[in-house]
Amino acid sequence: MRLHRLTISALGPFPGEEVVDFDRLVASGLFLLEGPTGAGKSTVLDAVTFALYGGLAGTSTSRDRLHSDFAEPGHEPRAELEFSVSGVRHRIVRVPPYDRPRRRGSGTTTDPGRVLLERIEADGSRTTLSTRVGETDDEVRRLLGLSRDQFTQVVLLPQGEFARFLQSDAEQRRAVLQRIFRTDHFDRMTQLLADRRREAARAVGAADREVEVAVGAALEAAGADTALRDEVGEYDDAALAAHLEALAADLDAAAAAATAVAEAAQVRVERRRADLDESRRAAAARDRVALLRERERALMAGRADHEARVAELSAARRAAPVGPLVRALDQAERDLAAADAEAARTRSQLPRAEAQAPDEAALRADERRQVERAAALRPWLEVEAGLQARRAGCDALTQDLASVEEDCRRWQAVLDAAPQRSAELAERLAVAQALAAASGDAEQAATLAHERSLASVAWSAALAEVEAAEQRHRAAADASVAATDAHQDLLQRRLDGIAAELAQGLAPGGACPVCGSLEHPQPARAAADAADAEAVRRAEGVRRSAESDRDRARTALDARREEAQSWRARAAGLDPTAAELEHVRAAQRLSEVVTAAREVERLGAELASVRAETDEARAARDRDQERVATLRARLTAERETLTRDAEDLARTLGGATSVADLLATVQERANAYGRAADAVATRTGRASARDRLRVEAEHEAAAAGFASLAAAAEAVRDPASIESLADAVAAVEQEHAAVLAALADPDLVATAALAVPEPDVAQKALHAAVAELEDEHGRQAVLRQRVAAYDRRRRDVERALRARSEARAAAAPVRRMADVAAGQGANRLRMTLPTYVLRARFLSVVEAGSRRLERMSSGRYSFSYVEEGSGGQRAGLGLAVVDHFTGRGRDTRTLSGGESFYASLALALGLADVVTGEAGGVDLETLFIDEGFGSLDPDTLDQVLDVIDDLRDGGRAVGIVSHVAELKERVPDRLEVRRDARGASHLRLRG
């Protein structure tokens, strides 16, 4: 992953928007993030981490510091980061929750924050990948291959974090490594195996208890005593099965013996039951004879009542033909009374003068007169109903007339105002047309002014470049002069000391290369400032390089001056302020011309619209004037007809409220006359019918032998009563005959005379036999149930034994695996599975860190893995430092401040190597190291920087976060954090 551009807005100590161009900053591969303590260096790292993961870099950093206290109210805090992974560029924007002023009213409200992740395509377009927090976090972890904890340990080596890791104990180191390498699933796996082991143990224990319960239940079902049950508990599975089989055989034999005894008792019960039946038949026969004789005496005592019922039945049968006539006569009397009451009621509803008239013909005549009057009133119903609608129609015509007259007045007002509106629009149109005619010249002038403004800005920038080029040329020229002087000085000093240089080659007996002498009494000695040939050659190379730099600077200066002259000509000699003023004026003129052109089109359309509206208003006014005349004529005719019909209706009603009320009154009178006539006719018919029925009933009573109609009516019974009397008479006679026949039955007499025991004696004998049989059956049932229950319990024991065997077989591998994962049993290392996994990772970290530590310490120190543990188990995460000067190991806490720093850094870099390898070879092209360099001496700082410099291999960019002044001289590319007067911070790039 490589960082390209970071934008910080209203975060931490930064009140405004700060932009970090990492592409420019990391051009050399190494840069310094420096500034005073607390100025906000770590906030830059927090912003990177927050943009990617929504969290901060340091574990001790609070999210409360995200929103800047220096920012203006409502200024949205934001972290925006552009980064690339495997050559694909992405952009992420993350806004944290923050309080902002309400848009309406006073006070603040909490903005929930948001996130945006985009992919930047090769053509510069952007594709949105996510706008949801959880989805974005997952996508970032997928792209980078690192969690936030891993990222802050391998990309942002945080201030103080890796020093704590170096000096922590095994348990603290375990917590850090678990978080970084995310090995918590091995803990879960170990816990899962432990849970499975407990579950398996519980299953085996439960199976053992099931066997014990099943065996106990089987022995209890067999009726075994306590001592036997305790003895069986000591048997193995085979002996237990044999013992249970023997119990089954004993139970079967006892059940067969009980069955034979029960069968003999059953035979005795059958004999006693036959004796009881014969005794009961004899007793029943004696009781039957006694009852029959008692009933015969009762029948003879009620003979008189029986004869009376026979006489009543005879009279009822003779009066049967008279019964319907008597009932009909009673109904006729009731009907006649009802008709008299109805006739009186209907006469009371007639007018008082006619209430006493009983004549049906007169009543019918009155009814016809009222019907004829009602028929004459019905046509006036429609007339009366239409008056209200016709009045409403006249009102509507009046409103329509007023509306049309108002329309006429409105159209006339439009026609009156049209000439002045047309004249004003025509005048404005002429002015706009004149201004729009100059559009070509205004556009050309604006384009020229814009080009001069751009050229003026470029000229100003070119002048600055000319000045910089002149400074570089002067510096190069001064360097060339200095290099020439140095070369000449060294050359002169070599010439001055050439004799001493030649003397160095003299040997005893050898010839002098200058004079040829074989003796060398006083060889020349080299001066203190003598120069050798190599120094002269180096000075000559420096001189030539300086001259080349001077020539290149001169060429660049000429090019800058030529470029500035070209921009001056294109700017017509105007400075940026004057050129911009000319551009603004030309743009304003062009805007006015463009506006005038649009006004020409708009005003022309508006003028045409006014003329069209005038023609439309004139036509509408003429049309509405014709409608006014038509509506006035219709309204006059309607009002005259309405007045005439209202007067005729009033005469017809007389004093009535309405035609409907009058018609209802007339109709009710006709109905009253009709009802009275109907009642009189009904009363006359019912009186004639009653008289006829009386004569016929008296004739039938005499024919039946009754002295009078009243006597016949008293003897009348309904058919059900007659049938009931006949049944009662027949029942007495039949019962008397049956009693006499039963007393003469020879079988009954013979049975009653039998000499047998009384039923209670026979019953007792049967009860005794039955009790004996029930006892035998009970014993037989108990034994059968015991056999059946014992068979079921034996099957339960067999199932429990199979289940226990299966549980033991299933528990064995689970127990072995759980013991190994927990560092027990066959695990000879005595190390848990999570510790074993972390130990493997930690060994890789120690090995990678040692390589860097040896180089940083000039071969003095390396890391050593130490086994630590307690309680019979090994932690596997111990760490020591080996001092190769003494050959002994040291506790990491005994290192000095500087030694602790570079040892911690070496360990952190080793951890970064292992984590990136674990993450599938994540390509980390950007790395930050936060603080600690102030504790190093110059030599150690050089060695540490050499190791850091190696990190740049392959194009990696390394950022050092520090306020150490010496690093400013060693690292030229810097991102400076500076405070202003009020304490807020700002960023500035140097390099």
Side-chain angles (χ1 to χ4, degrees), residues 55 62 90 137 140 170 172 192 208 226 258 279 304 326 620 630 660 715 789 805 839:
S62 172
H90 296 79
D137 294 344
V140 168
Q172 294 170 336
L192 177 61
D208 289 338
T226 304
S279 175
V326 170
T630 302
S805 177
R839 174 177 175 268

Side-chain angles (χ1 to χ4, degrees), residues 362-523:
L363 292 173
R364 296 294 184 192
D366 290 338
E367 179 185 12
R368 285 193 296 275
R369 284 194 298 274
Q370 295 300 326
V371 170
E372 290 171 356
R373 186 180 178 191
L377 284 172
R378 285 193 181 91
W380 286 101
L381 285 171
E382 183 177 356
V383 174
E384 183 182 40
L387 288 178
Q388 186 63 28
R390 289 164 66 186
R391 292 190 185 96
C394 288
D395 293 341
L397 283 174
T398 302
Q399 293 177 357
D400 290 345
L401 178 61
S403 176
V404 175
E405 289 175 342
E406 179 61 27
D407 291 342
C408 287
R409 288 190 292 272
R410 189 176 70 255
W411 292 123
Q412 187 60 47
V414 172
L415 293 174
D416 294 342
Q420 182 177 356
R421 286 184 63 197
S422 297
E424 291 175 353
L425 289 172
E427 182 178 356
R428 291 168 60 190
L429 178 61
V431 173
Q433 287 173 339
L435 184 58
S439 61
D441 295 340
E443 184 175 358
Q444 185 176 2
T447 302
L448 180 59
H450 180 60
E451 292 175 352
R452 285 177 178 175
S453 176
L454 296 177
S456 177
V457 173
W459 178 34
S460 178
L463 289 176
E465 292 180 0
V466 167
E467 182 179 356
E470 288 176 344
Q471 293 176 356
R472 289 192 294 272
H473 177 256
R474 284 194 295 271
D478 292 343
S480 176
V481 171
T484 300
D485 291 344
H487 176 238
Q488 291 176 350
D489 179 66
L490 286 172
L491 183 61
Q492 184 62 44
R493 280 189 282 153
R494 188 192 178 202
L495 292 174
D496 292 343
I498 194 65
E501 184 177 339
L502 293 174
Q504 291 177 358
L506 295 177
C512 175
V514 177
C515 65
S517 175
L518 298 178
E519 296 182 358
H520 316 295
Q522 293 181 342

Side-chain angles (χ1 to χ4, degrees), residues 621-640:
R621 182 199 61 186
D622 296 343
R623 183 175 62 253
D624 288 344
Q625 286 177 347
E626 294 178 359
R627 289 186 63 199
V628 167
T630 302
L631 288 172
R632 283 176 178 168
R634 282 182 58 194
L635 182 60
T636 301
E638 286 291 337
R639 285 176 174 170
E640 291 176 355

Side-chain angles (χ1 to χ4, degrees), residues 190 194 197 815-833 871-874:
T190 302
R197 177 174 55 189
R815 183 171 56 252
R816 287 195 298 272
M817 287 298 296
D819 288 344
V820 169
Q824 302 169 1
N827 188 335
R828 294 189 299 274
L829 293 177
R830 316 307 293 170
M831 187 178 295
T832 65
L833 176 62
Q873 288 192 339
R874 297 179 182 178

Side-chain angles (χ1 to χ4, degrees), residues 757-775:
E758 290 298 322
D760 55 347
V761 176
Q763 183 70 45
K764 290 179 181 179
L766 176 60
H767 283 172
V770 169
E772 180 184 2
L773 177 62
E774 288 177 350
D775 290 342

Side-chain angles (χ1 to χ4, degrees), residues 594-614:
V594 172
T595 302
R598 288 196 293 266
E599 280 292 294
V600 167
E601 183 179 354
R602 186 184 65 79
L603 291 172
E606 188 173 353
L607 181 59
S609 177
V610 168
R611 290 170 178 169
E613 288 176 358
T614 302

Side-chain angles (χ1 to χ4, degrees), residues 518-541:
L518 298 178
E519 296 182 358
H520 316 295
Q522 293 181 342
R525 295 183 179 276
D529 60 346
D532 58 10
E534 181 61 28
V536 172
R537 280 194 297 273
R538 286 198 301 269
E540 183 181 8

